[in-house]
Amino acid sequence: MSDLTKFKAKVCLTAGGCLIHEGKTLLIKHKKLGVWLCPGGHIDPDELPHQAAEREFWEETGVKVKAKPFGLMISLKDSEQVPAPFSCNLHWVCKKNYDMKIKSPKNYGTQKNWKRGCEQHANMLYLVEPTGSLDFKENVEETDGIAWFSLAEMKELDTYDQIKEEVEYAFSLV
């Protein structure tokens, strides 16, 4: 393959949950990225995206949640329906790997600082509601913080503009 434009980024499917309660949203500070995000992560094999959002939210916060419909549902077989995400996005998680692949395709994967894994995430974000206690517990293996933020505090938060926009949209839906 000599045409470098044929290289595609490795995309992984992810899902997350946005919990808004009493005018605040619960966010985690991602350990690797160093920014505040809605809890979420990779979709496991044989797992629907909303199930991954619920599982990942619990794993990262200790808060059990359920994805809730906000007007849209996805129909499955025999009239079964599951919640639809309120937001979907594609974002870079390791553009460095992709850039190395383009720069040196023959050596791709052999360089010392190359890491296997996702280059981009296709993320589905769900509105979630608690199914029990809101007492959270930080997962220190994956996060460097967990906290509640108001919409006003979100505007000053150290995170991506896209996250701010998604959370602002979520506030408008609840």
Side-chain angles (χ1 to χ4, degrees):
M1 177 186 321
S2 61
D3 182 4
L4 295 181
T5 61
K6 292 183 182 179
F7 277 106
K8 303 284 189 239
K10 181 178 179 191
V11 178
C12 295
L13 297 176
T14 60
C18 184
L19 172 61
I20 297 176
H21 182 75
E22 296 182 354
K24 294 194 172 193
T25 186
L26 186 61
L27 301 178
I28 55 102
K29 189 166 187 182
H30 194 278
K31 193 170 216 117
K32 291 179 186 173
L33 300 176
V35 296
W36 292 93
L37 305 170
C38 292
H42 288 90
I43 299 171
D44 288 343
D46 300 324
E47 186 175 47
L48 292 171
H50 75 284
Q51 294 168 327
E54 294 166 354
R55 175 185 52 76
E56 287 283 349
F57 201 100
W58 178 77
E59 288 176 2
E60 293 181 355
T61 69
V63 175
K64 292 221 179 237
V65 296
K66 178 177 172 109
K68 67 181 201 172
F70 69 97
L72 296 175
M73 297 291 280
I74 297 172
S75 294
L76 303 176
K77 62 180 181 166
D78 301 327
S79 75
E80 184 181 353
Q81 293 188 322
V82 297
F86 76 89
S87 178
C88 296
N89 66 65
L90 179 68
H91 58 270
W92 288 103
V93 290
C94 194
K95 188 152 184 335
K96 182 178 177 182
N97 280 1
Y98 180 77
D99 290 341
M100 282 194 289
K101 180 167 57 177
I102 297 302
K103 189 176 187 179
S104 182
K106 289 182 182 177
N107 296 326
Y108 179 65
T110 63
Q111 294 147 332
K112 200 183 228 183
N113 56 356
W114 179 79
K115 292 181 174 56
R116 295 190 181 275
C118 307
E119 294 169 347
Q120 290 184 316
H121 282 168
N123 188 60
M124 291 159 264
L125 190 58
Y126 291 83
L127 287 173
V128 296
E129 58 191 2
T131 60
S133 171
L134 289 171
D135 293 335
F136 59 79
K137 182 175 179 183
E138 180 183 353
N139 178 338
V140 294
E141 291 179 15
E142 295 186 32
T143 67
D144 279 334
I146 183 171
W148 290 95
F149 297 94
S150 69
L151 185 55
E153 292 168 323
M154 281 293 305
K155 294 179 186 201
E156 304 301 319
L157 201 58
D158 183 21
T159 191
Y160 305 121
D161 287 341
Q162 181 177 352
I163 300 300
K164 292 177 184 181
E165 291 166 8
E166 286 176 328
V167 171
E168 184 175 350
Y169 180 55
F171 270 96
S172 76
L173 295 172
V174 295

